[in-house]
């Protein structure tokens, strides 16, 4: 199965769980692409004592998943893409939705 995950939340627990799901799916042998949209591009700044979001993000990439970040959303916030979350476009989001067997949003 190809799972697409769209994250637009800045709630640390929600985003942490979204990435946990992605890691679980990868370990089950399926593929995962994550698209960070709107405030979701701030996911790398959400770590708390209980919710280590960046740890889950790195775990997803290390397990073979891919994270994409909306370029327009990054620019609005004065941010740039990173190696873990490269700058992406609506065409990339469209491709994720088109090519995924299932898409979930957080």
């Amino acid at each position: 199965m190809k799972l697409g995950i769209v994250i637009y939340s800045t709630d640390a627990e929600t985003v942490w769980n979204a990435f946990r799901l992605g890691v679980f799916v990868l370990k089950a042998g399926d593929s995962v692409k994550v698209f960070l949209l709107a405030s979701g591009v701030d996911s790398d700044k959400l770590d708390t004592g209980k919710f280590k979001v960046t740890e889950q993000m790195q775990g997803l990439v290390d397990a073979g998943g891919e994270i994409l970040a909306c370029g327009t959303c990054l620019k609005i916030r004065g941010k740039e893409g990173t190696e873990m979350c490269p700058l992406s476009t609506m065409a990339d989001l469209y491709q994720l939705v088109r090519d995924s067997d299932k898409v979930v949003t957080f």
Side-chain angles (χ1 to χ4, degrees), residues 8-101:
Y8 57 88
S9 177
T10 54
D11 177 74
E13 183 176 10
T14 299
V15 175
W16 177 75
N17 276 306
F19 282 107
R20 281 183 58 226
L21 172 62
V23 171
F24 181 87
V25 168
L26 289 164
K27 288 181 178 178
D30 293 313
S31 67
V32 176
K33 277 192 180 183
V34 176
F35 195 92
L36 305 177
L37 184 66
S39 58
V41 298
D42 291 326
S43 292
D44 61 341
K45 304 291 184 220
L46 298 179
D47 283 350
T48 69
K50 290 183 182 180
F51 306 111
K52 308 281 191 237
V53 175
T54 56
E55 189 176 285
Q56 291 298 323
M57 292 172 74
Q58 189 63 57
L60 184 125
V61 171
D62 291 347
E66 185 176 357
I67 304 172
L68 306 169
C70 172
T72 301
C73 303
L74 288 168
K75 288 177 186 174
I76 288 170
R77 290 162 178 79
K79 297 175 72 172
E80 296 180 5
T82 64
E83 186 176 330
M84 186 185 329
C85 306
L87 189 136
S88 302
T89 66
M90 282 292 117
D92 296 310
L93 177 57
Y94 166 68
Q95 183 179 2
L96 178 149
V97 172
R98 182 192 66 203
D99 296 345
S100 295
D101 297 312

